[in-house]
Amino acid sequence: DIQMTQSPASLSASLGETVTIECRASEDIYNGLAWYQQKPGKSPQLLIYNANSLHTGVPSRFSGSGSGTQYSLKINSLQSEDVASYFCQQYYDYPYTFGAGTKLELK
Amino acid sequence: EVQLVESGGSLVQPGGSLKLSCVASGFTFSNYWMDWVRQTPGKSLEWIGEINTDGSKTNYAPSIKDRFTISRDNAKSTLYLQMSNVKSDDTAIYYCTRASFDYWGQGVMVTVSS
């Protein structure tokens, strides 16, 4: 199985700040990577697919980048509604696997 | 509006069986591969498996292979997850999703305990 190592596990940031979350795959996943946002009591919501494509309706302050085994999610100008957990997922190979998640809180 | 609504979650004893359903609306169900994903109390997400458009092909995670079966009824726009020989580790919230993971259901809780 491809292991997805996500960091940091938790993050505290101020409103308006830029935040970056990293995900490292145990092997090349050729941009087969998605990022999700999950708020308490809700199901995950797709933010980014194919490593850097913004899903419909997602604010442009979210962006994804990376290649090979290293990927990142950046949130520009952090808003209060961005407080949530974030997960990466590889879908390059079976079984699809997720990172352990990053919990983002306001400072 | 795309909607996925799961049902069938409950408390089940170890070794028991349970069948989850997911009713889809707002899109042409028969055109999409569908997946099941679960989230444990520790909050990590785990892909369970997927099924193709006509139900002739499935792929499963090794952790549940041979215990869980995914099926579908396109006439009813419904996806199923048959769970057998369940274990305490199967305790989780179970989500159905479109295979592009762009839409998720609200999730249904399955608790395995004696």
Side-chain angles (χ1 to χ4, degrees):
Chain A
D1 299 4
I2 297 175
Q3 306 303 314
M4 302 301 293
T5 303
Q6 188 172 340
S7 61
S10 63
L11 181 57
S12 183
S14 302
L15 291 174
E17 196 174 328
T18 295
V19 167
T20 300
I21 299 169
E22 309 277 346
C23 211
R24 176 172 50 84
S26 58
E27 60 186 84
D28 196 327
I29 57 172
Y30 299 94
N31 283 17
L33 183 107
W35 290 97
Y36 302 89
Q37 177 192 69
Q38 186 178 33
K39 297 184 177 179
K42 300 294 186 181
S43 54
Q45 301 293 307
L46 178 65
L47 297 173
I48 302 286
Y49 62 96
N50 292 348
N52 55 27
S53 296
L54 196 67
H55 180 51
T56 304
V58 175
S60 59
R61 63 180 180 274
F62 291 90
S63 63
S65 64
S67 63
T69 63
Q70 300 277 4
Y71 298 87
S72 60
L73 171 71
K74 187 164 75 170
I75 309 173
N76 286 317
S77 187
L78 187 70
Q79 305 295 303
S80 58
E81 60 263 34
D82 301 335
V83 170
S85 293
Y86 293 83
F87 296 89
C88 62
Q89 177 210 22
Q90 70 80 18
Y91 50 87
Y92 169 70
D93 196 14
Y94 295 115
Y96 302 155
T97 46
F98 292 84
T102 295
K103 188 172 184 179
L104 175 59
E105 299 174 326
L106 281 179
K107 191 180 293 182
Chain B
E1 178 193 5
V2 172
Q3 282 197 315
L4 297 168
V5 180
E6 301 97 337
S7 62
S10 71
L11 172 65
V12 57
Q13 291 189 336
S17 297
L18 194 65
K19 189 171 187 176
L20 306 182
S21 300
C22 170
V23 176
S25 60
F27 66 102
T28 305
F29 179 72
S30 58
N31 287 352
Y32 288 83
W33 286 56
M34 296 294 294
D35 289 53
W36 286 97
V37 174
R38 67 185 179 183
Q39 187 165 32
T40 62
K43 304 300 185 184
S44 63
L45 291 160
E46 182 182 15
W47 177 77
I48 295 171
E50 66 181 7
I51 188 167
N52 70 344
T53 55
D54 66 4
S56 61
K57 181 175 174 57
T58 51
N59 294 299
Y60 295 101
S63 61
I64 57 86
K65 194 173 170 62
D66 298 329
R67 296 192 302 120
F68 291 5
T69 301
I70 298 174
S71 61
R72 66 192 296 162
D73 184 337
N74 286 342
K76 296 181 178 180
S77 295
T78 303
L79 176 72
Y80 301 101
L81 178 65
Q82 175 70 54
M83 305 169 63
S84 303
N85 189 24
V86 296
K87 310 172 182 179
S88 58
D89 289 350
D90 296 323
T91 294
I93 297 171
Y94 286 75
Y95 297 101
C96 67
T97 85
R98 286 204 315 197
S100 44
F101 300 100
D102 53 353
Y103 289 95
W104 296 56
Q106 85 286 355
V108 64
M109 185 71 205
V110 173
T111 303
V112 181
S113 176
S114 54

